[in-house]
Amino acid sequence: MAKAIKQIKRIEVSEEEKRANDLKEIEDALLDNKDALLETLSVVGGMKERGILTLLNGLFGEGDRVLKVIVDLLNVPENTTALKNLMLLFGAAGKINVQDLEPLLLKVNSGIENVAENSEKNEKTGYLDLLRALKDPEINRSLTILITFLKGMGKDTENEEKVNDKSQSSEMRQDI
């Protein structure tokens, strides 16, 4: 029967061999990611040329002071209100159906172009000119769109607002 092994001799790697293996591993990684590294160095070089790296170094060096200034600025009631309004604005923008809005935006752009082209004319519009303009199909279509928009704005949305207010207040309570 074979004898049990009581001593295990570890193969010791010298410091020089370990360093050579580490350098070889780093070299292989550099070669494998050559394109990404060159692009990263290009970005960092651009940041250095524009002084962004100096700015970041200063910010990190004075991190506590910078953080205190930012907190003090955010603590002002006007800024707090502005941040709340900005969040509400982003929330409202998320509810807008862009596909429905696109045709209207194209028409608004067309109207702006028309104003830009004819803004140098100093003609005055009289009452009779307004009545004649109502016969123009483009103006009539625009007025119909405007009236439809105003009807939509006049709808009672009190129930929708209360639902949103309740959900926002419950979300705020959960955050606290």
Side-chain angles (χ1 to χ4, degrees):
M1 233 190 206
K3 292 183 181 180
I5 300 174
K6 294 182 180 178
Q7 287 185 335
I8 299 174
K9 291 184 181 180
R10 298 188 187 267
I11 300 174
E12 292 188 24
V13 179
S14 70
E15 204 52 47
E16 292 175 7
E17 289 175 350
K18 184 178 178 185
R19 184 172 174 85
N21 288 338
D22 289 347
L23 283 174
K24 177 70 174 144
E25 189 178 337
I26 290 172
E27 184 180 290
D28 291 341
L30 288 173
L31 290 173
D32 290 342
N33 298 302
K34 174 186 164 190
D35 294 336
L37 287 168
L38 290 175
E39 286 181 33
T40 302
L41 289 174
S42 174
V43 169
V44 171
M47 291 172 68
K48 175 135 179 85
E49 288 174 7
R50 287 171 182 75
I52 295 173
L53 289 180
T54 307
L55 175 70
L56 290 175
N57 281 331
L59 284 175
F60 290 132
E62 298 294 327
D64 293 338
R65 288 184 191 174
V66 172
L67 189 59
K68 183 182 182 327
V69 169
I70 291 172
V71 169
D72 289 344
L73 284 173
L74 291 177
N75 203 20
V76 176
E78 293 85 14
N79 293 340
T80 306
T81 305
L83 286 174
K84 286 179 185 176
N85 290 341
L86 189 62
M87 290 189 323
L88 286 172
L89 186 62
F90 280 126
K95 293 179 182 178
I96 294 174
N97 187 348
V98 179
Q99 291 175 339
D100 291 343
L101 191 61
E102 184 181 15
L104 181 63
L105 291 176
L106 292 173
K107 291 176 183 182
V108 168
N109 283 340
S110 176
I112 291 171
E113 287 174 11
N114 198 12
V115 168
E117 290 172 3
N118 298 316
S119 64
E120 295 179 9
K121 297 178 183 176
N122 290 328
E123 298 176 4
K124 292 187 177 185
T125 303
Y127 295 116
L128 291 176
D129 294 325
L130 286 174
L131 290 175
R132 274 190 231 116
L134 289 175
K135 292 182 180 179
D136 184 352
E138 292 174 347
I139 291 177
N140 195 310
R141 216 177 2 251
S142 298
L143 286 174
T144 303
I145 291 170
L146 182 62
I147 290 169
T148 306
F149 176 75
L150 291 174
K151 281 183 183 178
M153 279 186 60
K155 281 186 181 177
D156 184 20
T157 58
E158 189 173 316
N159 293 335
E160 292 177 24
E161 290 172 2
K162 286 182 180 179
V163 169
N164 291 336
D165 288 342
K166 288 179 185 176
S167 65
Q168 285 177 354
S169 63
S170 65
E171 287 175 11
M172 289 182 141
R173 282 188 217 122
Q174 290 175 353
D175 290 341
I176 297 173

